[in-house]
Amino acid sequence: MNQGYAVFCDADRLFYDAPYRLRADDAGLATHYATLSRELPDGWLRNPSGDWLAFRPDPCELPEQGWKIHISAVHANAERVLTVVWDYCVPRGIAFKCMPSPYLLHNRNGKYADRAASGKFVTVYPADDEQCRVVAEELSARLAGEPGPYILSDLRWGEGPVFLRYGGFTERNCHDERGELCPAIEDDTGTLVPDRREPTFRVPPWLDPPAFLEPHLAARTATTVGELPYRIERALHFSNGGGVYLGRDPRTDEQVVLKEARPHAGLGADGADAVTRLERERDALRRLSGLACTPEVRDWFTLGDHRFLVLEFVEGRPLNTLFALRHPLIETDPTPESLADYTAWAMRIHDLVAEAVEAIHARGVVFNDLHLFNIMIPEDEQSVTLLDFEAAAIDDDTRRQVVASPGFVAPADRRGFDIDRYALACLRIALFLPLTSLFAVDRNKARHLARVALAEFPIPAGRLDPAVEEIVRGYDPTPEHGSGTPPEHARADVPKPEHARANAPTPEPNRPTTPSRSHPPTACASDGYLPVALADWPRSRDSMARAITLSATPDREDRCYPGDIAQFAVPGGGACFGSGAAGVLYALAETGAERHPAGEEWLLRATKNPPAGNPPGFYDGLSGVAWVMERLGHRDRALDLVDLILGQNRHGLGVDLHSGLAGLGLALDDLARTTGESALHDRALAWAEQVADRIRTGPPSTRAGLLYGATGGALLFLRLYDRLRDPGLLDAAADALRGDLARCVVAIGGALHVSEGRRTMPYLGAGSVGIAMVLDDYLAHRPDERFAAARLEIARAARARFYAHPGLFRGTAGMILHLSRTTADEPDTRAADLRRLTDTLSWGAIPYRGELAFAGDQMMRLSMDLGTGTAGCLLALGGSLHDHPVHLPFLPPPRRP
């Protein structure tokens, strides 16, 4: 679970959207602070920028970087703190910005907020070091005694809510060691380097801090972990509320777990900070002392202003880990025996968890946060231990859920013990199909998943019925009530206003379907939940295309089609190929769907004057948009964008396909072919030489795969070879592919995956399947025994029965696209695999306004983009079912050797 997605779930019931777009609500959480309604003096400018609202006099002479001042606040004093800053800065002509609403401040201080950004309520921009000293001193005096969370990335000034950090004042960007765009500052040589925004205070290595910071630097080092009465052996987990550590009691040599809580940080939906929640856990566990299914409290103490709860260490593995190791659908063709064994195991584990929950209920405690990660299973698997009681309620059956995993969030009408019963119902289904996050979009999906589980596993009849009935109890999906929308408070760690959206999916449509000539629909794919079976092409294509166009918002400036949160990560993200309009329009055109003129007009408007900082990359920036504009017939705009790209500073750009030189080279070389601008061929070849040199002589890449690894460079070399027939380009492609294959390991099930250290990745975007796509292309030109063997080992990764997401780059759709074009197997085998995977893809589908749509990454909202959502699923199914080959850019079906 990527917790960064959670804050993008509040502004819209069905789609990820920027937090600052949340409308004002009845509780006032999204309403701007009253101070911000004041009139500014003549010449002052007010400018919204993402979550921030900035104020500055015009003109305002500021350095591009320097020591900036951050001020933290809590909900109770935020208006007061903002008033002090306004009254100080405005008369003195000092620029500043702030979080403009209680909702955005809450997000910034939430449990799963970015630890490096947490606490930053106001930023003040001094003109120089001397003004920084004066402003820090005077604001610190005016704000003395005001509480606020500690800003981990900064140096604290005294004991109050004022902090300092050296960083950029203006928006400048460079590429980091992973080739990803990031904020930048200049080093002492004038070179742009990453402006590190980490949860630890650091002074840039070339910079001497001013003398006035010395006492504050000394105070920062005064308290150390050496004062802990326990030895810390390793960190287990960090959140914005604090850390969890494995330690040892030196007095008894007992191994223990220490849970840390930072005051005013790590807020839950009810506003409780990490300290309050840790106190709740302490009290709940003391009430539960003596139960075999909960850990014992060993100690409770304070160090500095941090609280620590010391717990008995529980041996075993969390249920999510055992689940991943045991689940039979990670295999291509699990045996009846393995399915039966797993089914018996899953039912037994669920029963053990249910017994543990009943035991804590008998003591008057509601767990409130039951999910796969909070259940520990010992080696003998004959019992369970429930962990993490920070959300627990004691003798209170009226409290709502305030912290929860997305796949186990109870509806708003559940209270007390019913919250745990809802989570148990989700667990009953999740142990077979861990897709319960989809219930945030449509709880009727529970019926569909239960039918799929019964078709896949030998589950006794009626076993899942109680779970389904509990999940859909009280759910009113009628259109006038917003059918298919999630329950209010669908995300449980941030307060929710009431803001339903009219665009809601239609539940349980019963449109008749006709069997496809290619892939007959299975029972699960055509059971009445979805508007059309995926294999029923072109009807499924037309339904997906209608869903995409129905979701469009061409009146918005930032994006036209709802997609992944990456749309909001970089300037111009709503237009880009991977998560924006360009990729959607490409998928519609390639699959023969009806064009969407409003979307094309939006893209033309969005690219007339691209925003500053719009990256040049193929999947995240201008070159991908230019390439699509040419294919859609807008050549002049495409060439205008090319001119803009060629005029940009590409220092530090990576070599990858997603945002680096490989993607730029492929786009420009193809644009040279289609537009006749032959000079672009030369530029593409020059970039290819840079890519080859850096792959050959540079440090080993930290990433592998089609989008982010050396494989993207291999693809560039192969496409240039198609034009130039230079054998040296094949040699360079081989070097690049060998580099990425060296990052692969044999994973569970015997398939070859990319290793990322703690996990392995089979997927098209950053996994082994993307490498296999380019191996296919290479082997069409030159035999290589190692490459041929590797792609057969990778093929197993594309044939599992289950993937966590439906999307193109990290899910089932990417496997379908690969198998639809690979030359590694026989047609009959491939056809059977594609039929099975098409059925699997339907597991991530949800009706949207009577049409076929798909959940995006993290499965909490729908997505229409290419990389994660409906457009990517459309493209993948087109690769399998369309009358002529449909493919990703620069990856047409290879000729068979």
Side-chain angles (χ1 to χ4, degrees):
M1 163 62 190
N2 183 335
Q3 300 289 352
Y5 279 75
V7 296
F8 289 84
C9 291
D10 295 332
D12 194 285
R13 295 276 185 169
L14 299 176
F15 302 110
Y16 296 119
D17 210 344
Y20 57 81
R21 292 189 61 86
L22 182 69
R23 295 189 292 274
D25 59 283
D26 294 339
L29 288 169
T31 304
H32 282 194
Y33 292 107
T35 303
L36 301 178
S37 64
R38 294 181 179 181
E39 288 190 19
L40 286 164
D42 290 343
W44 273 75
L45 301 177
R46 180 192 310 252
N47 178 47
S49 178
D51 288 355
W52 294 95
L53 185 59
F55 302 87
R56 63 180 176 88
D58 187 25
C60 182
E61 298 294 331
L62 287 175
E64 291 188 302
Q65 62 195 52
W67 288 96
K68 62 177 75 173
I69 297 170
H70 289 121
I71 300 169
S72 67
V74 298
H75 177 73
N77 72 343
E79 183 80 65
R80 188 165 62 248
V81 168
L82 183 57
T83 300
V84 169
V85 174
W86 182 289
D87 290 343
Y88 180 85
C89 289
V90 172
R92 293 167 175 79
I94 299 172
F96 68 98
K97 66 180 181 180
C98 69
M99 291 282 109
S101 72
Y103 166 75
L104 291 173
L105 176 60
H106 183 105
N107 274 351
R108 181 130 310 216
N109 293 336
K111 178 178 179 181
Y112 293 110
D114 177 8
R115 295 172 64 227
S118 175
K120 296 175 183 176
F121 174 48
V122 177
T123 305
V124 180
Y125 295 96
D128 52 38
D129 285 0
E130 177 56 23
Q131 189 179 58
C132 178
R133 180 190 64 78
V134 173
V135 172
E137 285 180 350
E138 295 183 349
L139 279 178
S140 181
R142 286 167 168 78
L143 294 170
E146 293 288 0
Y150 195 103
I151 300 175
L152 296 174
S153 64
D154 286 26
L155 175 67
R156 191 175 197 172
W157 185 282
E159 298 297 325
V162 176
F163 298 79
L164 291 89
R165 187 183 80 84
Y166 188 90
F169 283 22
T170 60
E171 185 175 335
R172 294 185 291 175
N173 296 290
C174 69
H175 291 83
D176 62 18
E177 61 275 4
R178 294 165 65 94
E180 296 177 355
L181 198 68
C182 65
I185 53 176
E186 286 184 19
D187 65 12
D188 54 344
T189 69
T191 302
L192 286 179
V193 297
D195 182 2
R196 304 290 183 187
R197 300 178 180 185
E198 300 167 339
T200 303
F201 173 69
R202 299 181 190 278
V203 178
W206 68 87
L207 185 73
D208 292 325
F212 62 78
L213 292 182
E214 290 178 3
H216 308 289
L217 288 167
R220 180 177 178 274
T221 59
T223 300
T224 69
V225 294
E227 299 178 40
L228 280 170
Y230 297 85
R231 291 197 304 269
I232 300 296
E233 296 182 343
R234 61 187 172 95
L236 300 176
H237 171 71
F238 286 104
S239 75
N240 189 35
V244 181
Y245 309 92
L246 184 66
R248 194 169 294 276
D249 187 337
R251 296 162 296 188
T252 63
D253 201 40
E254 179 191 11
Q255 199 164 39
V256 293
V257 171
L258 292 87
K259 299 190 71 172
E260 172 194 28
R262 301 199 301 127
H264 312 305
L267 304 182
D270 59 352
D273 69 358
V275 172
T276 300
R277 291 202 317 278
L278 199 63
E279 290 171 346
R280 290 175 181 168
E281 179 163 18
R282 176 201 62 193
D283 294 345
L285 290 175
R286 285 175 174 170
R287 169 70 70 91
L288 299 170
S289 180
L291 288 181
C293 60
T294 58
E296 295 290 334
V297 174
R298 295 290 191 244
D299 199 359
W300 171 259
F301 66 92
T302 301
L303 179 64
D305 58 357
H306 291 206
R307 299 288 178 84
F308 287 85
L309 176 65
V310 184
L311 300 175
E312 167 194 11
F313 173 71
V314 177
E315 294 279 359
R317 288 187 285 186
L319 180 53
N320 68 296
T321 299
L322 279 178
F323 167 84
L325 293 171
R326 283 181 170 270
H327 204 281
L329 297 191
I330 63 173
E331 301 175 12
T332 301
D333 190 18
T335 65
E337 292 77 16
S338 67
L339 291 167
D341 288 347
Y342 179 81
T343 299
W345 178 84
M347 291 191 299
R348 183 171 60 81
I349 292 296
H350 183 272
D351 290 345
L352 288 171
V353 175
E355 291 171 7
V357 169
E358 287 302 313
I360 68 169
H361 285 184
R363 298 270 185 107
V365 175
V366 182
F367 191 8
N368 272 330
D369 194 17
L370 178 70
H371 57 84
L372 289 164
F373 290 76
N374 282 352
I375 301 166
M376 187 68 75
I377 312 293
E379 190 68 28
D380 63 7
E381 300 185 3
Q382 298 304 305
S383 62
V384 301
T385 302
L386 305 182
L387 305 177
D388 203 356
F389 279 77
E390 64 179 33
I394 304 173
D395 298 330
D396 183 356
D397 59 2
T398 63
R399 188 194 298 174
R400 292 176 59 171
Q401 204 168 19
V402 295
V403 173
S405 175
F408 297 81
V409 179
D413 62 350
R414 304 304 204 275
R415 297 287 194 280
F417 300 129
D418 279 352
I419 293 172
D420 289 347
R421 293 180 185 123
Y422 181 88
L424 281 169
C426 291
L427 181 66
R428 191 180 291 239
I429 292 176
L431 281 167
F432 296 99
L433 294 175
L435 302 173
T436 54
S437 295
L438 295 171
F439 302 163
V441 181
D442 184 8
R443 274 193 272 157
N444 274 324
K445 186 68 178 179
R447 300 189 190 279
H448 185 224
L449 293 182
R451 288 192 288 266
V452 172
L454 289 168
E456 296 290 328
F457 295 89
I459 302 171
R463 170 78 186 187
L464 299 182
D465 291 349
V468 172
E469 295 310 310
E470 175 61 37
I471 290 164
V472 302
R473 175 165 62 88
Y475 184 52
D476 183 0
T478 57
E480 60 268 25
H481 290 93
S483 70
T485 60
E488 64 175 294
H489 295 246
R491 178 175 151 240
D493 65 338
V494 168
K496 294 294 176 298
E498 296 295 333
H499 50 281
R501 179 184 171 100
N503 294 352
T506 302
E508 304 283 355
N510 289 301
R511 180 183 301 178
T513 61
T514 56
S516 165
R517 55 178 172 77
S518 304
H519 297 172
T522 68
C524 289
S526 58
D527 63 4
Y529 174 73
L530 298 178
V532 58
L534 273 60
D536 186 8
W537 189 272
R539 292 186 64 214
S540 59
R541 174 200 66 189
D542 296 340
S543 185
M544 285 182 275
R546 284 192 294 270
I548 288 169
T549 56
L550 284 169
S551 73
T553 54
D555 55 322
R556 283 180 58 160
E557 293 185 2
D558 57 342
R559 62 119 163 109
C560 182
Y561 304 103
D564 192 66
I565 67 174
Q567 291 182 324
F568 308 104
V570 296
C576 70
F577 192 84
S579 57
V584 172
L585 295 172
Y586 171 77
L588 292 173
E590 287 297 298
T591 55
E594 186 175 346
R595 289 179 71 159
H596 188 215
E600 293 185 33
E601 291 167 7
W602 183 92
L603 191 58
L604 284 166
R605 290 196 307 272
T607 54
K608 185 176 182 179
N609 294 296
N614 199 327
F618 189 88
Y619 278 92
D620 68 344
L622 295 174
S623 60
V625 177
W627 187 82
V628 170
M629 295 302 264
E630 164 66 11
R631 291 179 74 85
L632 295 176
H634 305 294
R635 177 166 295 174
D636 289 345
R637 179 56 49 80
L639 292 175
D640 287 345
L641 293 176
V642 168
D643 288 341
L644 189 60
I645 292 166
L646 294 178
Q648 286 185 337
N649 181 359
R650 291 175 300 280
H651 175 78
L653 207 62
V655 300
D656 58 272
L657 173 62
H658 184 271
S659 52
L661 293 174
L664 285 172
L666 284 161
L668 266 63
D669 196 62
D670 199 52
L671 285 166
R673 177 184 63 83
T674 58
T675 65
E677 297 286 337
S678 58
L680 298 181
H681 281 312
D682 297 333
R683 185 61 64 97
L685 186 59
W687 287 342
E689 290 171 353
Q690 291 184 43
V691 173
D693 182 63
R694 286 165 63 178
I695 289 174
R696 184 177 60 254
T697 64
S701 174
T702 59
R703 305 186 74 177
L706 177 65
L707 294 186
Y708 305 103
T711 296
L715 181 60
L716 171 61
F717 305 144
L718 290 170
R719 295 292 80 90
L720 288 173
Y721 176 80
D722 291 340
R723 178 168 64 85
L724 300 173
R725 295 295 164 178
D726 177 358
L729 289 165
L730 288 183
D731 295 338
D735 288 342
L737 289 167
R738 289 188 192 102
D740 272 6
L741 286 174
R743 296 286 308 279
C744 293
V745 297
V746 177
I748 298 172
L752 202 62
H753 289 192
V754 168
S755 172
E756 292 189 344
R758 297 181 62 181
R759 63 179 182 177
T760 63
M761 299 290 281
Y763 302 115
L764 186 153
S768 55
V769 163
I771 300 172
M773 294 185 82
V774 181
L775 287 174
D776 279 334
D777 285 34
Y778 181 90
L779 291 167
H781 295 297
R782 179 188 284 177
D784 186 297
E785 290 184 4
R786 181 187 174 194
F787 288 175
R791 71 169 178 166
L792 289 175
E793 293 173 346
I794 294 171
R796 299 184 67 176
R799 292 187 170 89
R801 192 70 180 93
F802 173 79
Y803 299 96
H805 298 95
L808 187 65
F809 292 153
R810 293 187 62 223
T812 310
M815 308 310 184
I816 291 174
L817 189 65
H818 172 54
L819 292 180
S820 71
R821 76 183 290 275
T822 186
T823 56
D825 54 18
E826 297 300 321
D828 289 346
T829 302
R830 185 163 63 251
D833 291 333
L834 287 169
R835 281 194 294 272
R836 185 178 64 253
L837 285 173
T838 300
D839 184 19
T840 300
L841 185 62
S842 73
W843 303 352
I846 289 180
Y848 169 72
R849 298 179 67 178
E851 306 297 349
L852 185 61
F854 290 86
D857 272 8
Q858 308 305 312
M859 308 289 277
M860 293 183 284
R861 291 293 185 268
L862 300 176
S863 170
M864 298 298 172
D865 70 23
L866 183 99
T868 71
T870 304
C873 296
L874 170 64
L875 190 78
L877 289 170
S880 172
L881 300 171
H882 198 47
D883 291 334
H884 63 81
V886 173
H887 53 84
L888 278 172
F890 323 118
L891 279 164
R895 64 179 177 82
R896 294 186 176 271

